[in-house]
Amino acid sequence: DAAFLAMYNDLSVHKIEAHSNLLFIQRNELNRSEIELDFRGHKIFTYGIEPAPKDSPVSAIFSFSGHSVGTNLTYTLQNDMPEYFDVYEVPDSSKFTIGDWYLLMSDTNPGGSSDRELQKLTQVIEVVDATHVRFDYKLGWELKAGRKITYQPYEPIHDITVRNLFFEGNGRPTTTDAASGSGPFAFEGAVRCDVYNCHATQTFWPMIFRRNNSYYVNERCSLKNPVEVQVGGTGYLT
């Protein structure tokens, strides 16, 4: 873990290669962009790994994440917003710049306790007029006037590639000790973060956990014999 972090945090290093099998016992939280990890077909083991926080699928061996910046804006829609529409009402479009990233989130659906029609990492692609901005996401549901949208400025982690890995998880956690379970990758608030030719077994949480990701590729990846498939969110490839 220490050797990996020393290279990852050295901004002069742009590619890290493995030349043997490796043992990781830390859950590494990572926020540097623009780097490639090539494991060259070697294995990663996680026996003896530190416990994960309760119910935390982002606690992977390599957990890449962006972060929010600035102040959230919450706006009440003055008009119905139709399905498949990508022009969003905002309180003041002068606060938005083409190319900036935002986490967009609607308030909860009146028919459910936690259902949201909109929860997406998006990018500004056009400032239309004083109160409308176009994002790179066509809304999947209609939102009626009176519903609220929160615009959270965000700095995503970006342009990361991981490839050529065989990952072996930490065996079977007990139902009361899921914290011992492990998975290789988590990407949160990530753009163009790709995974190629990576294979895993005995993972607990998803092999590749993604939340609020955009423009990514998973290619030639596989998962065999996850330790758990009954608990929500466990046993998934991605």
Side-chain angles (χ1 to χ4, degrees):
D1 295 275
F4 166 75
L5 289 172
M7 289 184 284
Y8 181 84
N9 292 321
D10 183 340
L11 298 184
S12 69
V13 174
H14 297 281
K15 183 176 182 178
I16 299 173
E17 293 185 353
H19 289 262
S20 70
N21 295 341
L22 300 169
L23 172 66
F24 282 84
I25 59 173
Q26 290 180 194
R27 301 175 189 270
N28 297 291
E29 298 181 3
L30 308 169
N31 53 28
R32 177 190 165 187
S33 297
E34 299 175 347
I35 194 165
E36 178 178 346
L37 311 182
D38 187 350
F39 294 92
R40 296 171 55 88
H42 293 291
K43 290 184 178 180
I44 277 185
F45 301 100
T46 59
Y47 301 112
I49 190 170
E50 64 181 348
K54 180 176 174 58
D55 296 332
S56 179
V58 298
S59 296
I61 303 303
F62 307 104
S63 183
F64 302 94
S65 61
H67 60 278
S68 60
V69 294
T71 303
N72 294 358
L73 298 171
T74 298
Y75 183 71
T76 301
L77 294 177
Q78 305 301 302
N79 301 283
D80 293 350
M81 187 172 172
E83 184 180 9
Y84 300 135
F85 209 53
D86 59 0
V87 175
Y88 292 72
E89 285 186 35
V90 296
D92 180 3
S93 67
S94 69
K95 297 182 182 298
F96 294 79
T97 301
I98 292 173
D100 284 353
W101 289 90
Y102 285 81
L103 282 176
L104 271 54
M105 182 181 296
S106 65
D107 54 359
T108 55
N109 189 305
S113 61
S114 60
D115 293 339
R116 302 180 191 274
E117 296 92 336
L118 175 63
Q119 192 171 12
K120 189 77 174 177
L121 179 65
T122 61
Q123 188 175 35
V124 177
I125 58 174
E126 181 185 1
V127 177
V128 178
D129 58 30
T131 57
H132 291 88
V133 171
R134 188 184 307 276
F135 287 91
D136 64 344
Y137 175 66
K138 295 182 184 295
L139 187 67
W141 304 82
E142 180 185 31
L143 290 178
K144 293 289 189 180
R147 296 293 300 279
K148 294 180 179 180
I149 296 179
T150 296
Y151 300 86
Q152 178 181 339
Y154 203 86
E155 184 69 35
I157 197 166
H158 61 89
D159 298 289
I160 292 170
T161 302
V162 293
R163 62 175 79 243
N164 304 324
L165 170 68
F166 288 88
F167 180 88
E168 185 170 320
N170 194 33
R172 178 177 291 277
T174 68
T175 55
T176 58
D177 187 28
S180 66
S182 61
F185 307 121
F187 297 94
E188 185 163 24
V191 174
R192 296 184 302 275
C193 291
D194 302 328
V195 182
Y196 298 98
N197 193 36
C198 290
H199 310 277
T201 186
Q202 292 290 294
T203 58
F204 181 74
W205 293 112
M207 172 184 165
I208 308 166
F209 179 85
R210 294 187 180 272
R211 181 160 58 196
N212 294 320
N213 283 209
S214 188
Y215 304 120
Y216 64 85
V217 173
N218 297 335
E219 188 173 273
R220 299 202 325 273
C221 296
S222 67
L223 170 62
K224 297 179 180 178
N225 298 324
V227 299
E228 167 61 54
V229 295
Q230 302 301 317
V231 178
T234 63
Y236 296 177
L237 174 66
T238 187

